[in-house]
């Protein structure tokens, strides 16, 4: 047996050496899936003699692909660098650049990030004279993204009466028209958004069979990591690429499918065997990460889901400590108790900050944890905050670099035309865009270079000055590498001087950030693994970075704070899951049907299985939400863990925390408890099952006196309705649960016709 196969258990070995035909590897949490996937690829090269150029391996983060490539290289040597390996978006962007002319795009097309897309949507909504409170950029962008992920083009969208009817009911009848204009504007700007990288690859393969045939012949083996996170578009592409030889291997865990809100379809993994009759299914069920108590608790939780592939994860590790359950009187006390536990345990066990993670359902929960950690002088980092490449000064420089490459990029043009200020106001910008549409067939650069034809005086001079700047910077593209172009752009644009002249602390920080960006370009150019050192290649790499990839820190010894969604794939010695309360986790928005609730349970399963040695869970009796003190019930998920895995004695309140729990707060809690006692108890006998035709009604259709249905509380009468301000509320007297005030941004109410 080869050295690299030593130490594999039987299912792992089977997953590595059985390389032919369709294969699905179901990898339980902590079961060594990355090791199996990387050794499978190494085995193809080392033992089967497969050319690395003929292997396609798809991941979800650049960090994952870099780690896999490094592991493969340790077995097969430098040949590993020739594997087509990367994220779905980066690999398909590479293919689209090679074949861009087939779709009418230039090779140097721009990739819009979410912020660019939302800015464009905002402009379109304004141009159409629509209400931006109804057509919010986030909502519109989400609708467009969802359509593209289901491979629904704007032409199909506006011709489908079901979509149009849904939009009418949602009081957003112009969504289809916005989708149409958005796609046309992106095409004119020679730009693709993230979803287009998948959508257009499907279009490319569908409309150009010769291109599909070329890549089918190129890739003998197709491997997909985290298969449970794929959407319809991603699966169809991989299925087409593997159609000739059917040497497709997917690795994933249905129990960790938690990205439905991004378009992930758990049906891809649950129904994979239906597409491949001769499928080999391998189950990796031994957990090498966690203790027996943690694994046992996770198994008990996830087995309650109906939609899953059967498996029984087990571990040979120690039994370990029982799961600690912490009850706090408030969210602030919860934060203090978590911080206190970390402080004491670090002293006792000589652990480091980086051994701890605090996981929560929503980002807003971090505040009380942050405050408590700061008070105890414990260093921490928040994963998923504002990334380096989303900072204004960085996006400003990147917009210049993008426009140098693609002078039809409308979003970059609008960002830099008067940056730094050069006397070009919004009125002049509007005239340029009108001229581009009416005189120059949508060509922004033609409109700029011919500005004196329709602009006069100072405005024309300012625009021509901008044109000369871009021309001079563009000369460097052919003569110099990306680093030299970026360095000169930062200097000649005037941005670097503007930031240098700002002597405030913020100005100095922004100046240093721009210098760091230039350093990043230099690092990219000097990296021997980057064959393409062009500015196009650099900008593509930046555009496709994920939140995990952008997480860089000079001091790694910090407690990690993050949402559970951000935590998948990570592990820590001691994990805290905070905010385990009904309507928070599980989220109130995920209680309308079994499918959503099962996704929440999978999210809880992911949180549990991040812990190696110790797991603590906490809930608060009261929590401030939307500016109001609310009484909280422990999450149903706590009850799904058998007592044998839980620490029977509740974690006692720290003295300092108890002292800080003021009498006024205690009075509020007491009153809340009293009010709660006056309502009908929430018990199993009164649990409501939503009607078969349940679908939330638009809030604008509700009225006082109406009979409504809630998926959890059942039927009731709407007594009061407050639609003023951002937090629209409804007070409903439910038949089995008494009177409740609900936020309409979260509550799902169905108007019952009388």
């Amino acid at each position: 047996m080869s050295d690299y196969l030593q130490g594999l258990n039987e299912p792992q070995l089977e997953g590595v050496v059985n390389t032919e035909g369709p294969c699905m590897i179901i990898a339980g949490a902590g079961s060594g899936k990355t090791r199996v996937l990387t050794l499978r690829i190494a085995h193809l090269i080392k033992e089967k003699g497969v050319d690395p150029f003929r292997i396609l391996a798809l991941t979800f983060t650049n960090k994952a692909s870099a780690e896999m490539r490094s592991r493969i290289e340790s077995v097969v040597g430098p040949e590993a660098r020739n594997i087509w390996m990367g994220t779905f978006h980066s690999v398909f962007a590479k293919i689209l650049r090679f074949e861009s002319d087939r779709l009418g795009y230039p090779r140097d097309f721009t990739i819009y990030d979410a912020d660019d897309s939302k800015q464009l949507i905002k402009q379109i909504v304004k141009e159409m004279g629509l209400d931006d409170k109804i057509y919010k950029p986030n909502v519109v962008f989400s609708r467009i993204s969802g359509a593209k992920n289901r491979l629904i083009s704007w032409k199909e969208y506006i011709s489908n009466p079901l979509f149009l009817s849904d939009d009418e009911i949602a009081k957003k009848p112009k969504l289809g028209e916005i989708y149409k204009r958005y796609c046309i504007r992106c095409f004119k700007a020679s730009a693709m958004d993230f979803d287009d990288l998948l959508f257009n690859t499907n279009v490319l393969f569908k409309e150009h069979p010769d291109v599909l045939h070329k890549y089918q012949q190129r890739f003998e083996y197709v491997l997909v990591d985290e298969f449970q996170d794929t959407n319809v578009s991603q699966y169809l592409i991989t299925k087409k690429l593997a159609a000739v030889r059917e040497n497709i291997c997917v690795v994933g865990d249905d129990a960790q499918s938690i990205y439905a809100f991004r378009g992930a379809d758990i049906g891809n993994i649950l129904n994979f065997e239906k597409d491949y009759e001769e499928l080999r299914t391998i189950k990796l069920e031994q957990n090498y990460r966690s203790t027996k108590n943690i694994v046992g608790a996770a198994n008990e939780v996830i087995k309650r889901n109906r939609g899953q592939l059967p498996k029984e994860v087990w571990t040979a590790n120690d039994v370990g400590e029982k799961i600690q359950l912490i009850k706090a009187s408030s969210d602030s006390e919860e934060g203090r108790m978590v911080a206190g536990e970390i402080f004491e345990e670090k002293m006792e066990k000589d652990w480091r900050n980086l051994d701890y993670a605090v996981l929560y359902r929503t980002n807003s929960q971090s505040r009380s944890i942050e405050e408590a950690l700061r008070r105890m002088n414990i260093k921490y980092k928040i994963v998923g905050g504002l990334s380096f490449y989303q900072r204004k000064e960085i996006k400003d420089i990147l917009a210049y670099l993008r426009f140098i490459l693609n002078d039809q990029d409308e979003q970059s043009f609008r960002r830099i035309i008067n940056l730094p200020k050069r006397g070009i106001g919004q009125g002049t910008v509007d005239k340029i865009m009108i001229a581009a549409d009416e005189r120059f067939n949508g060509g922004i650069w033609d409109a700029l270079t011919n500005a004196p034809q329709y602009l006069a005086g100072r405005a024309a001079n300012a625009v021509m000055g901008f044109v000369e700047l871009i021309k001079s910077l563009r000369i460097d593209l052919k003569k110099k590498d990306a680093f030299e172009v970026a360095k000169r752009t930062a200097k000649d644009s005037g941005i670097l001087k503007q930031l240098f002249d700002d002597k405030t602390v913020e100005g100095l920080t922004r100046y240093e950030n721009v210098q760091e960006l230039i350093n990043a370009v230099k690092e990219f150019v000097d990296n021997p693994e980057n064959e393409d050192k062009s500015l196009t290649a650099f900008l593509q790499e930046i555009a496709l970075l994920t939140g995990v990839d952008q997480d860089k820190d000079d001091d790694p010894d910090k407690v990690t704070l993050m949402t559970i969604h951000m935590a998948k794939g990570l592990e820590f010695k001691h994990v805290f899951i905070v905010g385990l309360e009904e309507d928070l986790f599980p989220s109130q928005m995920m209680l309308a049907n079994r499918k959503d609730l099962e996704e929440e349970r999978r999210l809880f399963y992911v949180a549990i299985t991040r812990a190696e040695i110790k797991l603590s869970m906490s809930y608060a009796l009261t929590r401030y939400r939307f500016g109001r003190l609310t009484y909280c019930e422990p999450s149903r998920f706590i009850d799904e863990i058998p007592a044998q895995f839980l620490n029977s004695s509740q974690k006692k309140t720290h003295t300092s925390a108890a002292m800080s729990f003021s009498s006024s707060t205690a009075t509020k809690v007491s009153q809340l408890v009293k009010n709660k006692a006056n309502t009908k108890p929430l018990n199993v006998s009164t649990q409501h099952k939503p009607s078969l035709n349940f679908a939330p009604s638009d809030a604008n259709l509700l009225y006082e006196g109406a009979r409504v249905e809630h998926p959890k509380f059942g039927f009731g009468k709407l007594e009061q309705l407050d639609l003023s301000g951002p937090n629209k509320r409804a007070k409903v007297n439910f038949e089995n649960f008494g009177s409740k005030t609900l936020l309409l941004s979260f509550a799902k109410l169905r108007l019952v016709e009388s």
Side-chain angles (χ1 to χ4, degrees):
M1 183 181 291
S2 302
D3 291 342
Y4 62 88
L5 299 178
Q6 298 293 331
L8 295 175
N9 63 35
E10 189 174 330
Q12 288 176 333
L13 182 62
E14 185 183 358
V16 169
V17 301
N18 290 290
T19 58
E20 305 307 300
C23 177
M24 178 167 63
I25 300 175
I26 306 300
S31 62
K33 76 170 180 65
T34 303
R35 185 183 184 197
V36 171
L37 188 56
T38 53
L39 289 182
R40 184 183 178 94
I41 297 172
H43 190 72
L44 283 169
I45 299 169
K46 197 172 181 71
E47 298 296 328
K48 300 283 186 176
V50 178
D51 185 344
F53 283 103
R54 301 178 74 82
I55 298 173
L56 172 64
L58 298 166
T59 67
F60 273 84
T61 67
N62 291 305
K63 186 175 181 181
S65 61
E67 180 186 349
M68 285 173 59
R69 194 185 298 275
S70 175
R71 291 195 192 186
I72 297 167
E73 190 169 350
S74 69
V75 178
V76 305
E79 277 290 289
R81 298 174 189 175
N82 298 326
I83 302 167
W84 274 63
M85 178 180 287
T87 65
F88 281 89
H89 292 91
S90 65
V91 169
F92 298 154
K94 185 177 180 180
I95 291 175
L96 287 170
R97 290 208 189 276
F98 287 146
E99 315 293 343
S100 58
D101 60 312
R102 299 294 191 105
L103 298 175
Y105 284 86
R107 184 182 175 87
D108 292 326
F109 63 80
T110 298
I111 299 175
Y112 280 173
D113 63 16
D115 185 54
D116 296 320
S117 297
K118 290 171 188 176
Q119 284 297 320
L120 177 54
I121 289 168
K122 194 173 181 180
Q123 290 163 16
I124 292 170
V125 168
K126 183 179 179 182
E127 291 164 7
M128 291 176 67
L130 301 174
D131 188 344
D132 59 6
K133 292 183 177 62
I134 295 175
Y135 294 93
K136 296 178 181 178
N138 283 342
V139 174
V140 176
F141 176 66
S142 178
R143 184 72 167 171
I144 292 173
S145 177
K148 288 183 180 179
N149 283 331
R150 298 196 305 278
L151 300 179
I152 300 165
S153 69
W154 67 262
K155 291 179 182 178
E156 292 172 298
Y157 191 100
I158 63 175
S159 62
N160 189 313
L162 290 177
F163 298 145
L164 300 181
S165 175
D166 287 345
D167 293 344
E168 288 283 354
I169 293 172
K171 303 281 187 182
K172 298 178 179 66
K174 296 294 184 181
L175 275 175
E177 180 63 24
I178 296 172
Y179 184 13
K180 172 184 174 180
R181 295 193 185 196
Y182 172 79
C183 291
I184 292 172
R185 290 278 280 276
C186 282
F187 184 75
K188 281 186 176 180
S190 297
M192 297 189 198
D193 62 23
F194 270 33
D195 298 313
D196 284 330
L197 297 177
L198 305 176
F199 184 90
N200 285 337
T201 302
N202 272 295
V203 171
L204 177 69
F205 289 163
K206 182 179 179 181
E207 297 183 355
H208 302 278
D210 59 317
V211 176
L212 173 59
H213 179 73
K214 179 171 75 173
Y215 288 100
Q216 285 175 333
Q217 296 305 312
R218 171 170 292 175
F219 302 128
E220 290 184 34
Y221 295 86
V222 177
L223 302 98
V224 183
D225 190 20
E226 302 288 5
F227 185 62
Q228 77 280 349
D229 295 334
T230 55
N231 58 32
V232 171
S233 182
Q234 289 163 330
Y235 179 42
L236 281 179
I237 295 171
T238 52
K239 187 179 176 183
K240 286 177 181 177
L241 288 173
V244 175
R245 296 178 178 85
E246 291 198 346
N247 286 329
I248 181 171
C249 175
V250 301
V251 183
D253 181 8
D254 58 292
Q256 297 185 64
S257 179
I258 59 173
Y259 293 119
F261 68 97
R262 292 184 190 168
D265 186 352
I266 192 174
N268 289 346
I269 192 168
L270 294 181
N271 302 315
F272 189 67
E273 62 183 357
K274 294 180 181 178
D275 288 338
Y276 298 95
E277 292 182 4
E278 299 183 9
L279 178 70
R280 179 193 296 270
T281 300
I282 300 168
K283 296 181 181 180
L284 307 182
E285 297 174 301
Q286 183 175 359
N287 180 300
Y288 291 92
R289 175 189 301 155
S290 308
T291 64
K292 282 187 170 68
N293 270 319
I294 293 171
V295 170
N299 284 341
E300 290 296 320
V301 167
I302 202 62
K303 76 178 186 181
R304 292 173 179 263
N305 275 6
R306 292 181 184 176
Q308 61 176 301
L309 297 169
K311 61 181 174 297
E312 185 67 30
V313 178
W314 62 278
T315 184
N317 293 340
D318 294 338
V319 173
E321 295 184 46
K322 290 188 176 183
I323 297 170
Q324 183 181 41
L325 187 60
I326 301 173
K327 178 173 71 174
S329 51
S330 67
D331 50 346
S332 295
E333 188 192 40
E334 179 184 49
R336 289 189 289 270
M337 294 173 77
V338 168
E341 175 75 14
I342 293 173
F343 183 84
E344 290 178 8
E345 190 172 68
K346 278 174 60 185
M347 298 299 103
E348 178 187 337
K349 296 185 176 179
D350 198 28
W351 285 2
R352 303 173 67 191
N353 289 326
L354 57 78
D355 294 324
Y356 297 89
V358 182
L359 309 181
Y360 34 76
R361 181 63 179 82
T362 64
N363 276 306
S364 60
Q365 291 172 252
S366 72
R367 180 193 56 79
S368 59
I369 308 295
E370 287 185 73
E371 290 176 358
L373 292 172
R374 280 200 299 267
R375 287 194 187 101
M376 303 199 76
N377 201 27
I378 298 173
K379 292 183 179 180
Y380 67 90
K381 65 177 179 180
I382 296 180
V383 177
L386 186 65
S387 72
F388 177 79
Y389 290 103
Q390 291 299 317
R391 295 185 170 109
K392 179 185 180 302
E393 62 275 13
I394 301 303
K395 288 184 74 73
D396 291 342
I397 297 292
L398 293 177
Y400 264 101
L401 297 176
R402 283 170 26 170
F403 194 73
I404 293 167
L405 283 171
N406 175 13
D407 54 31
Q408 297 306 313
D409 184 348
E410 180 183 343
Q411 294 310 299
S412 294
F413 160 72
R414 288 180 179 274
R415 189 175 191 105
I416 67 175
I417 184 62
N418 198 39
L419 184 75
K421 292 187 182 302
R422 50 176 62 94
I424 301 175
Q426 186 57 48
T428 301
V429 173
D430 291 341
K431 289 177 182 177
I432 294 169
M433 295 308 299
I434 291 171
D437 283 338
E438 297 181 355
R439 298 188 182 204
F440 303 102
N441 196 30
I444 295 174
W445 184 247
D446 288 341
L448 288 170
T449 55
N450 292 284
Q453 293 183 17
Y454 56 89
L455 295 176
R458 190 180 301 173
N461 292 334
V463 171
M464 294 312 295
F466 174 76
V467 168
E468 292 306 314
L469 169 64
I470 298 300
K471 283 181 177 178
S472 68
L473 294 172
R474 193 173 285 164
I475 292 172
D476 282 353
L477 283 176
K478 297 179 181 179
K479 299 179 180 179
K480 299 179 180 178
D481 61 27
F483 166 67
E484 294 295 338
V485 175
K487 186 170 70 169
R488 188 181 165 204
T489 299
K491 179 176 178 292
D492 289 6
S493 66
I495 291 178
L496 204 57
K497 182 179 185 303
Q498 183 185 56
L499 296 177
F500 181 78
D501 291 342
D502 182 355
K503 300 303 181 183
T504 64
V505 174
E506 292 80 6
L508 177 62
T509 300
R510 287 193 286 268
Y511 177 79
E512 290 173 345
N513 285 340
V514 172
Q515 294 287 5
E516 182 58 30
L517 172 64
I518 296 171
N519 292 339
V521 184
K522 179 64 173 171
E523 185 178 320
F524 174 84
V525 169
D526 290 345
N527 188 340
E529 294 187 7
N530 294 327
E531 295 179 13
D532 186 353
K533 302 180 187 299
S534 67
L535 185 59
T536 299
F538 173 76
L539 290 177
Q540 176 170 303
E541 180 170 287
I542 297 309
L544 298 176
L545 284 177
T546 67
V548 174
D549 298 322
Q550 295 171 17
D551 179 28
K552 294 182 179 179
D553 201 328
D554 293 334
D555 180 8
D557 190 28
K558 295 180 179 179
V559 174
T560 301
L561 276 58
M562 68 176 98
T563 64
I564 303 166
H565 283 101
M566 293 294 294
K568 196 159 80 67
L570 304 177
E571 54 190 46
F572 304 88
K573 286 184 179 178
H574 189 168
V575 168
F576 293 85
I577 308 173
V578 299
L580 271 170
E581 298 136 31
E582 282 293 298
D583 296 339
L584 182 57
F585 193 19
S587 167
Q588 186 181 45
M589 296 185 289
M590 302 292 280
L591 298 176
N593 56 64
R594 180 176 297 280
K595 182 180 177 183
D596 287 346
L597 180 58
E598 291 200 350
E599 171 126 345
E600 285 290 280
R601 187 174 287 112
R602 291 194 296 270
L603 190 61
F604 185 47
Y605 175 84
V606 166
I608 292 172
T609 54
R610 297 314 92 199
E612 298 175 5
I613 299 173
K614 189 171 180 179
L615 175 65
S616 296
M617 305 187 305
S618 63
Y619 64 94
L621 296 177
T622 63
R623 184 178 297 275
Y624 275 96
R625 297 190 72 187
F626 311 107
R628 299 178 62 189
L629 186 68
T630 58
Y631 183 86
C632 308
E633 298 176 13
S635 169
R636 69 188 70 189
F637 291 153
I638 295 175
D639 293 333
E640 293 178 1
I641 299 177
Q644 70 192 75
F645 300 116
L646 293 172
N647 192 333
S648 57
S649 59
Q650 296 280 353
K651 179 72 179 175
K652 293 184 179 179
T653 302
H654 287 234
T655 305
S656 59
M659 290 174 63
S660 64
F661 190 58
S662 66
S663 58
S664 62
T665 304
T667 302
K668 291 179 182 178
V669 174
S670 175
Q671 186 60 45
L672 282 165
V673 173
K674 187 182 295 183
N675 292 341
K676 196 75 177 176
N678 292 332
T679 65
K680 296 187 179 183
L682 194 158
N683 55 56
V684 176
S685 63
T686 59
Q687 287 286 340
H688 176 69
K689 292 183 178 179
S691 304
L692 291 176
N693 64 339
F694 184 90
S697 300
D698 188 282
N700 294 312
L701 300 177
L702 300 176
Y703 57 91
E704 292 183 359
R707 179 171 165 77
V708 295
E709 180 186 11
H710 184 277
K712 179 178 175 183
F713 303 129
F715 296 98
K717 182 179 180 182
L718 202 160
E719 296 181 329
Q720 289 182 355
L721 192 62
D722 181 5
L723 299 179
S724 62
N727 294 326
K728 299 178 181 179
R729 297 181 177 86
K731 184 178 180 181
V732 182
N733 190 355
F734 291 102
E735 295 169 2
N736 291 322
F737 291 87
S739 184
K740 290 184 178 291
T741 300
L742 307 172
L743 281 171
L744 293 178
S745 56
F746 290 97
K748 297 179 179 180
L749 294 177
R750 180 178 76 90
L751 188 62
V752 181
E753 299 297 334
S754 55

